[in-house]
Amino acid sequence: MDFSEIRFEVTGGVGLIHLHRPEKLNALTGVMARELGRAYRPCDEDDEIRVVVVTGSGRAFCAGADMSGGEGPFAKRDEAGFSAAAFDPPAFRVRKPVVAAINGHAIGIGLTIGLQCDLRWMALEAKYGVVQVRRGVMPDAYAHWTLPRIVGLSRAADLLLSGRTFDGAEAFELGLATQVLPGEEVLDAALAWAREVASSAAPLSVAVSKRLLWESTTLDPEEVGRRETDLHHHLMSRADALEGGLAYAERRTPKWTSRVSKDWPKS
């Protein structure tokens, strides 16, 4: 696939996406947004990709929407052609784990892109904020859904309604960050986690667990129990359920044969 504002490569089961406008601190344009969505699609569909890592080129993750041209990104748009989602699919709809290596500043949509991911490694020294209310608009890219799930309603209200900025230490305190590290160490740490999952965990098991995890807050305990039971039956009818136990007993690396593309549950 040809891209101009992102870089996309796959190595050892890990898809690595770089937001790639380093001279502009990876500020998001319409082109970059569309390319990110285009990159997420094969990450969902290709069984060779087991985990996805999203990061930024240079010293920032994403400094927000590109506001350098003309009226800027928040001028009145044609209603039929505008979506605050920015790109499709969002990371939480990709069936593989998507983790953010937030290697530097992530502001506005730069942070809301990271909020869609399953986990976030974040730079200690960087600046973060969902600042859109200070630009005359409002948070986007599903932030009103993702952020309360991550940090709770009260803390989400603080961040979304104030538009204030904060550092990596507070990101960890809030529960946004899986781990905070110096910026130059963030990508390596995220890739280490991704490679461990890609090499060790059963792809179909990971994928169905991710789906239920994102669905769980809209379900009551009984519904979650039913879904877990149904999905266990689905997984236990496949060879990976036997292979996992045998590989563990025989102290060897399991050979997974189930595939997300062909073995995905119908409901």
Side-chain angles (χ1 to χ4, degrees), residues 195-242:
R195 289 166 181 152
E196 172 69 16
V197 173
S199 64
S200 301
L204 185 63
S205 298
V206 171
V208 296
S209 183
K210 170 176 174 168
R211 184 176 77 169
L212 184 55
L213 184 65
W214 279 97
E215 292 174 346
S216 63
T217 58
T218 64
L219 305 174
D220 62 34
E222 290 72 26
E223 290 172 318
V224 170
R226 285 192 292 272
R227 293 291 292 137
E228 286 181 344
T229 300
D230 291 343
L231 291 170
H232 266 92
H233 284 303
H234 183 80
L235 294 172
M236 290 187 298
S237 68
R238 281 154 178 79
D240 283 356
L242 178 61

Side-chain angles (χ1 to χ4, degrees), residues 56-72:
S57 296
R59 60 191 179 91
F61 179 73
C62 175
D66 188 338
M67 303 180 70
S68 63
E71 297 176 299

Side-chain angles (χ1 to χ4, degrees), residues 111 115 128-134 139 147-148 150-166 170-171 174-176:
L111 184 54
L115 297 179
Y128 306 105
V130 187
V131 301
Q132 284 88 327
V133 295
R134 299 193 181 201
L147 189 57
I150 298 166
V151 302
L153 183 61
S154 180
R155 287 179 166 183
D158 170 30
L159 300 181
L160 298 181
L161 304 185
S162 73
R164 68 178 181 85
T165 58
F166 52 95
E170 187 175 358
L174 289 165
L176 278 176

Side-chain angles (χ1 to χ4, degrees), residues 102-103 122-128 167-170 180-183 186:
I102 304 179
N103 55 300
M122 301 177 73
L124 180 63
E125 67 276 16
K127 183 168 71 173
Y128 306 105
D167 62 12
E170 187 175 358
V180 291
L181 298 160
V186 164

Side-chain angles (χ1 to χ4, degrees), residues 43-47 49-50 91-97 118 202-215 227 230-238 240 257-267:
C43 291
D44 177 76
E45 297 165 358
D46 186 348
D47 289 320
I49 301 174
R50 296 190 175 187
F92 54 79
R93 295 292 187 210
V94 176
R95 290 175 290 184
K96 320 301 173 52
D118 302 298
L204 185 63
S205 298
V206 171
V208 296
S209 183
K210 170 176 174 168
R211 184 176 77 169
L212 184 55
L213 184 65
W214 279 97
E215 292 174 346
R227 293 291 292 137
D230 291 343
L231 291 170
H232 266 92
H233 284 303
H234 183 80
L235 294 172
M236 290 187 298
S237 68
R238 281 154 178 79
D240 283 356
T257 55
S258 295
R259 296 290 179 262
V260 173
S261 62
K262 67 182 180 66
D263 295 307
W264 190 247
K266 292 182 171 59
S267 61

